[in-house]
């Protein structure tokens, strides 16, 4: 139970006191922070609405002349709500948070290429290195290399769209919760997210090369 520093009412952990409306410092997960059900399929309009409504009610400007404790609670609650909004708005960061929330966190420095993508990654790296050497020599292969790379980029983007569709499907499976083995959904989610992360890096490298920038 949590006690409101303003009116002393004891209540379940929540962001705003049910009696006096003061912001509370509570250790809430990001779904609870926004008052959303703990589900992966989020109505973005509802998310935006909750964020703006809560944000207004706990805004630090409203507590500028309040007690230090209340000012502090308003700052903390605002930071929590902002983090919740930013994390849950994007399906990829929402999925990553879901894994973290359930103790299945994806390894931070997972440099291993997902097996299905290995061949593709190899091809792209070949193309990139050919293009780089053609560019250095200002050779004739440059134009062709750029055209090939653009075409590959388009197919990668197509793959990325498919992965986002798989992510949406996975979210629906989790929310229905009627599968044979929830462990399988976690494994699927991890695979999809690590593929997306890998493709993002690859697309970024391709864009740099297509824009003629030097990689870092
Ligand atoms: Zn209160």
């Amino acid at each position: 139970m949590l006690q409101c520093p303003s009116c002393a009412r004891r209540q379940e952990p929540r962001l705003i006191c049910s009696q006096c409306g003061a912001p509370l410092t509570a250790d809430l997960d990001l779904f609870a922070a926004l008052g959303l059900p703990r589900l992966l399929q989020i109505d973005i309009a509802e998310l935006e609405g909750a964020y703006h409504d809560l944000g207004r009610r706990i805004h630090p400007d409203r507590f500028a002349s309040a007690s230090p404790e209340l000012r502090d609670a308003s700052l903390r609650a605002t930071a929590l709500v902002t983090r919740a909004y930013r994390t849950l708005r994007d399906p990829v960061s929402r999925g990553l948070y879901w894994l973290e929330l359930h103790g299945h966190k994806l390894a931070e420095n997972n440099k291993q290429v997902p097996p299905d993508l290995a061949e593709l990654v190899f091809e792209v790296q070949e193309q990139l290195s050919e293009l780089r050497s053609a560019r250095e020599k200002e050779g004739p292969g440059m134009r062709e290399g750029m055209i090939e790379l653009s075409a590959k980029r388009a197919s990668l983007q197509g793959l990325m769209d498919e992965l986002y569709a798989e992510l949406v499907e996975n979210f629906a499976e989790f929310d229905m919760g009627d599968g044979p083995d929830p462990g399988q959904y976690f494994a699927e989610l991890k695979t999809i997210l690590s593929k997306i992360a890998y493709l993002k890096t690859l697309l970024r490298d391709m864009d740099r090369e297509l824009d003629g920038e030097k990689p870092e």
Side-chain angles (χ1 to χ4, degrees):
M1 293 293 263
L2 190 71
Q3 188 164 26
C4 173
S6 195
C7 72
R9 180 177 182 110
R10 294 178 67 78
Q11 53 206 294
E12 291 295 325
R14 54 207 313 273
L15 201 70
I16 295 177
C17 174
S18 59
Q19 182 163 274
C20 75
L24 302 173
T25 302
D27 187 19
L28 299 169
D29 71 62
L30 301 185
F31 293 94
L34 290 173
L36 297 173
R38 203 189 263 204
L39 292 171
L40 275 163
Q41 292 169 298
I42 285 184
D43 178 348
I44 295 297
E46 196 185 338
L47 175 78
E48 302 259 349
Y51 169 62
H52 291 299
D53 174 52
L54 286 168
R56 201 175 49 244
R57 288 162 68 193
I58 59 180
H59 199 283
D61 285 356
R62 297 185 58 165
F63 302 94
S65 54
S67 69
E69 200 174 7
L70 216 52
R71 282 208 307 266
D72 184 60
S74 139
L75 287 170
R76 282 169 194 270
T78 300
L80 178 64
V81 160
T82 305
R83 187 161 78 86
Y85 172 66
R86 289 189 182 147
T87 306
L88 299 183
R89 183 180 46 179
D90 173 59
V92 170
S93 58
R94 191 191 314 151
L96 289 167
Y97 176 67
W98 189 260
L99 289 177
E100 192 183 324
L101 190 62
H102 294 88
H104 289 264
K105 203 171 178 227
L106 211 60
E108 296 253 325
N109 288 312
N110 186 12
K111 297 274 183 211
Q112 219 180 349
V113 184
D116 306 6
L117 294 182
E119 198 179 323
L120 182 72
V121 169
F122 180 74
E123 276 173 30
V124 170
Q125 281 167 349
E126 283 279 279
Q127 281 190 348
L128 286 174
S129 87
E130 274 168 28
L131 185 58
R132 274 180 206 129
S133 70
R135 177 172 283 139
E136 270 166 31
K137 295 180 211 142
E138 290 177 27
M142 228 183 97
R143 200 180 129 72
E144 286 80 356
M146 294 283 275
I147 293 168
E148 263 181 45
L149 194 63
S150 298
K152 182 63 87 183
R153 197 209 181 281
S155 80
L156 246 68
Q157 189 56 57
L159 192 54
M160 188 67 119
D161 294 343
E162 282 172 28
L163 285 169
Y164 269 82
E166 281 182 33
L167 192 61
V168 169
E169 242 173 76
N170 176 266
F171 285 0
E173 283 169 348
F174 263 117
D175 288 352
M176 285 188 291
D178 57 356
D181 173 20
Q184 197 189 321
Y185 297 151
F186 281 112
E188 270 173 22
L189 181 55
K190 278 183 180 183
T191 304
I192 297 167
L193 290 175
S194 56
K195 282 187 189 172
I196 288 176
Y198 214 93
L199 276 189
K200 265 190 186 161
T201 309
L202 218 50
L203 284 168
R204 194 196 56 205
D205 291 350
M206 292 167 108
D207 285 342
R208 279 199 186 130
E209 205 56 47
L210 289 168
D211 295 342
E213 279 175 45
K214 289 213 165 66
E216 280 163 39

